[in-house]
């Protein structure tokens, strides 16, 4: 029959047989108690694996506050330092852990490879294991602890410390000690935004206190305009600020005010570690607590960018005025319009389009497309040739005494002046066509609106700072003095720019009427783009045609000079040939061509 079950498994089972006698008493040592009695007999037929290693001794490698070790395995006595004991072992120092696999808590799960032996009565008895025969051993703590205790490590700057479960680098194969629960940081920002704030903090290269002083005193030596813009753009949103504020309020008030980054314990909560804000969050939280940070930054930015915005508006108005002046004050424009009108009336003679007193300026860019009969020139080039000849006559008549004559230097000066196109430059009209009065009026209205908003924010900062000026006068000055002085000067400048814009618009409408320009099939008022775009295109075509005419005439002058030189050379050659003939005739007439007789010998001797 099978052996009886252990007590407690079946309530109706018969009592188990008497246990074996207890082992001899343990020698007295450092807090070791006698081993427990042997476990009950295992069930018959239940197999198991090989005996697992014993459990980790209490106190060796257990971290403070860790869960209790598994229950001791059942068996006989053993070494007191490694055998289960009812007394918890407490070394005086942290020991290096030994990574073994302890035995399973239930002895019946141990696998058996050999069949269990039976006694004389046929009862199968539990095969003894080595753990049943071990004698207890007393550990000499004074010698063991110095050898196998953990090395003391220096704590890092972040405040992390080693844990009881940490391992030595050599024992764990290079794993670093993770330390006790490292001090954590509360982060309300996402990773991408936190990275952007970190870059901003690195670019500032100043502390949060310096930033505060720069904002309060509007000191451009501490903070540049670009840095102020970046701080204003990257400021914390309401949602982020709510998360930070809620977290800070949950912490201790003193630690929250100092934003302590060291894990300190509060007096009322032992073991509590503060969770400070992460550096990017703490930086934004600090900015948000500067007195009226947003309003101060916006006032500062408006003050520094106001002149630039006003100057840009004035420059665009000036560009339009230059285009208007080029058309009203240029005599060449009038000459060109007169030549085109005369040529057009001549070409349209006998038709309904003839005898015109004027024409729409939209035809001007199309003059380059009107070809001559033999396609050798265009109407625009013909107009340019007429004006060029007229300019040559004026140039000759206006020459000074030093520039008259046919000297090479005087000719070079006249040619340089003639090569310069007298028509207004294309960029003048092109720049004027890029700006509209509607856009300028809109920008000026926006500037006025921003100025009104600036006044409101300025008064808000001053009013709130006045209430606390008794405690801190830096909240009020120099902000109040600088902003009020700027506000007094700015109002008059905006009003003057408004008058300039209105005068420019009136002059533009006048020049549009001067050229009788209107849009087709609509009663809308022409814009600067509609009007000046025509003149920009025509000016470009006219300048190109002027260059072509100048090069054509220069080439013609060169060919004429070559022909004149050749004729002069031929004339000189003819004169030399005629002179030779005359000399030959004279020699023949007076006998200069007869040969002289040879001298006699006596004459030669006398000469010698």
């Amino acid at each position: 029959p099978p052996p009886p079950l252990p007590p407690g498994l079946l309530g109706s089972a018969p009592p188990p047989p008497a246990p074996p006698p207890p082992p001899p008493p343990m020698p007295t040592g450092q807090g070791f108690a006698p081993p427990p009695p042997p476990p009950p007999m295992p069930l018959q037929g239940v197999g198991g694996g090989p005996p697992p290693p014993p459990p980790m001794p209490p106190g060796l490698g257990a971290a403070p506050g860790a869960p209790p070790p598994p229950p001791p395995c059942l068996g006989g006595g053993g070494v007191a330092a490694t055998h289960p004991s009812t007394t918890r072992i407490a070394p005086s120092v942290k020991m290096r852990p030994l990574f073994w696999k302890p035995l399973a808590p239930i002895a019946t799960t141990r696998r058996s490879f050999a069949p269990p032996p039976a006694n004389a009565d046929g009862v199968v008895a539990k095969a003894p294991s080595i753990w049943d025969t071990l004698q207890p051993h007393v550990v000499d703590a004074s010698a063991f602890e110095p050898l196998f205790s953990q090395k003391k490590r220096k704590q890092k700057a972040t405040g992390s410390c080693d844990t009881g479960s940490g391992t030595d680098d050599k024992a764990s194969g290079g794993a670093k000690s993770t330390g006790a629960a490292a001090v954590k940081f509360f982060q309300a920002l996402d990773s991408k935004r936190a990275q952007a704030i970190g870059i901003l903090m690195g670019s500032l290269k100043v502390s949060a206190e310096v930033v505060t002083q720069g904002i309060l005193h509007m000191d451009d030596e501490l903070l540049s305009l670009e840095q102020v813009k970046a701080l204003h753009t990257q400021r914390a949103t309401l949602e982020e600020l709510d998360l930070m504020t809620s977290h800070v309020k949950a912490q201790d008030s003193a630690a929250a005010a100092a934003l302590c980054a060291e894990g300190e314990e509060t007096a009322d909560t032992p073991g509590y570690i503060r969770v400070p804000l992460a550096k990017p969050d703490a930086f934004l939280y600090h900015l948000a607590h500067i007195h009226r940070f947003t309003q101060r930054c916006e006032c500062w930015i408006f003050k520094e960018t106001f002149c630039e915005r006003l100057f840009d508006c004035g420059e665009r108005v000036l560009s339009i005025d230059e285009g208007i002046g080029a058309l009203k004050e240029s005599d060449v424009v009038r000459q060109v319009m007169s030549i085109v009108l005369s040529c057009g009336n001549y070409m349209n003679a006998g038709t309904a389009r003839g005898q015109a007193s004027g024409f729409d300026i939209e035809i001007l860019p199309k003059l380059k497309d009107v070809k001559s009969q033999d396609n050798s020139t265009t109407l625009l080039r013909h107009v340019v040739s007429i004006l060029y000849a007229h300019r040559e006559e004026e140039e000759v008549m206006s020459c000074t005494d030093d520039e008259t004559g046919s000297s090479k230097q005087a000719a070079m000066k006249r040619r340089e002046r003639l090569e310069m196109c007298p028509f207004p430059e294309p960029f003048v009209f092109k720049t004027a066509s890029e700006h509209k009065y509607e856009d300028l009026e809109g920008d000026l209205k926006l500037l006025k609106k921003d100025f009104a908003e600036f006044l409101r924010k300025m008064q808000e900062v001053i009013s709130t700072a006045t209430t606390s000026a008794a405690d801190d006068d830096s909240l009020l000055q120099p902000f109040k003095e600088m902003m009020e002085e700027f506000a007094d000067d700015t109002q008059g400048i905006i009003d003057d720019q408004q008058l300039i814009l209105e005068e420019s618009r009136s002059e533009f409408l006048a020049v549009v009427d001067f050229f009788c320009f209107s849009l087709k099939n609509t009663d809308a008022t022409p814009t600067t783009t509609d009007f000046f775009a025509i003149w920009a295109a025509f000016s470009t075509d006219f300048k190109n045609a002027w260059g072509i005419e100048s090069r054509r005439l220069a080439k013609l002058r060169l060919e004429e000079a070559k022909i004149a030189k050749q004729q002069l050379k031929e004339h000189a050659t003819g004169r030399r040939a005629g002179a030779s003939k005359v000399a030959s005739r004279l020699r023949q007439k007076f006998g200069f061509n007869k040969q002289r007789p040879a001298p006699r010998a006596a004459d030669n001797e006398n000469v010698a």
Side-chain angles (χ1 to χ4, degrees):
L5 294 176
L9 295 180
L10 292 177
S12 59
M26 293 177 55
T28 58
Q30 297 180 0
F32 294 108
M41 298 296 293
L43 296 176
Q44 183 179 7
V46 178
M56 183 181 297
L60 294 181
C73 60
L74 303 179
V79 180
T82 58
H83 197 74
S85 175
T86 56
T87 304
R88 184 181 179 86
I89 301 176
S92 60
V93 294
K94 289 185 178 180
M95 304 299 294
R96 293 173 55 181
L98 181 62
F99 294 95
W100 63 16
K101 184 179 180 180
L103 293 175
I106 303 178
T108 55
T109 60
R110 181 168 58 89
R111 182 180 178 182
S112 176
F113 295 93
N119 54 14
D121 299 334
V123 178
V124 179
K126 173 182 176 293
S129 66
I130 188 174
W131 312 111
D132 300 330
T133 59
L134 293 180
Q135 298 294 326
H137 171 73
V138 178
V139 176
D140 186 2
S142 60
F144 189 74
E145 287 182 355
L147 293 176
F148 297 99
S149 61
Q150 289 188 3
K151 294 182 179 180
K152 294 183 179 180
R153 295 179 178 271
K154 295 181 179 180
Q155 294 185 354
K156 297 182 180 180
T158 55
S160 60
C161 57
D162 296 338
T163 61
S165 59
T167 62
D168 185 75
D169 292 346
K170 296 182 180 180
S172 59
K176 295 182 179 180
S177 176
T178 57
V183 177
K184 297 181 179 180
F185 298 94
F186 178 82
Q187 186 171 350
L189 309 176
D190 55 38
S191 58
K192 185 176 181 180
R193 179 154 164 74
Q195 182 180 9
I197 300 302
I199 295 174
L200 174 61
M201 295 170 61
S203 64
L204 293 175
K205 297 180 181 180
V206 292
S207 62
E209 290 74 14
V210 176
V211 173
T212 303
Q213 294 298 322
I215 295 296
L216 294 178
H217 294 84
M218 301 181 65
D219 191 347
D220 53 3
E221 295 183 357
L222 297 179
L223 294 176
S224 64
L225 177 61
E226 297 301 325
Q227 291 175 338
V228 175
K229 289 181 178 179
L231 291 172
H232 178 263
T233 304
Q234 298 291 347
R235 68 187 186 278
T237 62
L238 294 178
E239 294 78 6
E240 295 169 347
L241 193 58
D242 290 342
L243 292 175
M244 298 177 195
T245 305
S246 300
H247 172 75
V248 171
K249 287 183 178 179
Q251 304 293 310
D252 183 73
S253 59
L259 293 176
C260 180
E262 301 291 337
E264 299 178 359
E265 296 183 356
T266 58
D268 54 345
T269 310
Y272 174 73
I273 299 178
R274 306 186 193 282
V275 181
L277 293 175
K279 288 184 178 180
D281 299 62
F283 182 74
L284 294 186
Y285 187 79
H286 177 83
L287 294 181
H289 284 75
I290 297 177
H291 178 261
R292 301 294 179 179
F293 170 76
T294 303
Q295 291 82 351
R296 288 177 180 269
C297 288
E298 291 174 351
C299 290
W300 192 355
I301 294 173
F302 178 81
K303 176 180 177 294
E304 296 297 327
T305 59
F306 172 77
C307 293
E308 180 181 354
R309 295 172 62 181
L310 191 67
F311 179 78
D312 178 69
C313 184
E315 284 292 309
R316 288 184 289 169
V317 175
L318 183 60
S319 299
I320 299 176
D321 292 342
E322 289 180 355
I324 296 173
L327 294 176
K328 292 177 61 177
E329 300 173 2
S330 176
D331 295 333
V332 178
V333 174
R334 291 180 173 85
Q335 294 176 4
V336 170
M337 299 295 284
S338 176
I339 297 172
V340 173
L341 179 61
S342 300
C343 294
N345 281 331
Y346 196 88
M347 296 171 66
N348 293 327
T351 65
R353 292 184 297 271
Q355 301 298 319
S357 59
F359 58 89
D360 193 341
I361 63 173
E362 289 185 350
I363 195 61
L364 293 177
K366 302 176 183 178
L367 296 181
K368 67 179 184 299
D369 300 326
V370 181
K371 304 291 184 178
S372 62
Q373 186 178 11
D374 57 355
N375 292 331
S376 61
T377 186
T378 63
L379 180 58
L380 177 60
R381 290 178 59 183
H382 178 72
V383 173
V384 169
S385 64
I386 297 174
L387 184 62
Y388 198 98
H390 181 68
R391 295 282 294 180
E392 279 186 326
E393 295 177 0
E394 291 181 349
E395 186 66 29
V396 173
M397 294 178 62
S398 62
C399 286
T400 61
D401 296 338
D402 297 337
E403 296 176 349
T404 57
S406 58
S407 64
K408 186 177 180 180
Q409 185 177 5
M412 290 290 293
K413 290 182 178 180
R414 289 196 299 267
R415 183 174 178 179
E416 289 178 359
R417 286 194 291 266
L418 286 173
E419 287 179 352
M420 297 177 59
C421 180
F423 203 84
E425 290 293 334
F427 75 88
V428 175
F429 302 118
K430 187 176 184 301
T431 306
S433 65
E434 294 174 351
H435 309 300
K436 295 182 180 181
Y437 285 105
E438 292 78 6
D439 298 338
L440 292 170
E441 290 175 353
D443 293 344
L444 200 57
K445 288 181 180 178
L446 180 61
L447 190 61
K448 288 183 177 180
K449 180 181 178 182
D450 292 344
F451 178 68
E453 190 70 13
F454 161 80
L455 294 177
R456 184 188 65 81
K457 294 174 182 176
M458 179 189 70
Q459 294 298 332
E460 181 180 348
V461 174
I462 293 176
S463 60
T464 54
T466 305
T467 56
S468 56
D471 300 332
D472 189 1
D473 186 65
S474 63
L475 300 180
L476 184 60
Q477 297 296 346
F479 178 85
K480 179 180 179 181
E481 181 180 356
M482 296 173 62
M483 292 297 105
E484 288 181 348
E485 181 180 359
F486 169 75
D488 295 339
D489 299 336
T490 302
Q491 183 63 53
I493 296 176
I494 296 178
D495 295 339
D496 294 342
Q497 187 61 42
Q498 182 67 37
L499 294 176
I500 295 174
L501 181 61
E502 293 176 357
E503 292 177 358
S504 177
R505 186 178 183 87
S506 300
E507 292 180 0
F508 170 73
L509 296 177
V511 78
V512 168
D513 294 339
F514 179 73
F515 286 95
C516 302
F517 176 70
S518 61
L519 299 177
K520 291 182 179 180
N521 303 325
T522 181
D523 296 334
T525 303
T527 63
T528 53
T529 303
D530 300 329
F531 182 71
F532 288 113
I534 297 174
W535 289 105
F538 178 68
S539 178
T540 303
D541 298 338
F542 191 93
K543 188 175 183 179
N544 295 335
W546 188 272
I548 294 173
E549 182 66 16
S550 177
R551 291 189 294 270
R552 185 187 70 83
L553 292 179
K555 185 177 180 181
L556 181 61
R557 299 288 190 273
L558 182 61
E559 292 177 355
E560 291 177 352
K562 288 182 179 179
I563 294 174
K565 185 178 180 180
Q566 183 67 24
Q567 291 177 352
L568 183 62
K569 183 177 181 180
E570 292 176 355
H571 181 66
T573 304
R575 290 180 62 184
R576 285 195 297 269
S580 299
K581 291 179 180 180
V582 172
S584 178
R585 293 192 189 101
L586 290 174
R587 283 193 296 269
Q588 291 177 2
K589 181 177 180 180
F590 295 101
F592 292 119
N593 290 335
K594 295 180 178 180
Q595 295 182 357
R596 296 179 180 181
R600 294 177 297 180
D603 296 337
N604 292 336
E605 292 178 356
N606 294 332
V607 172

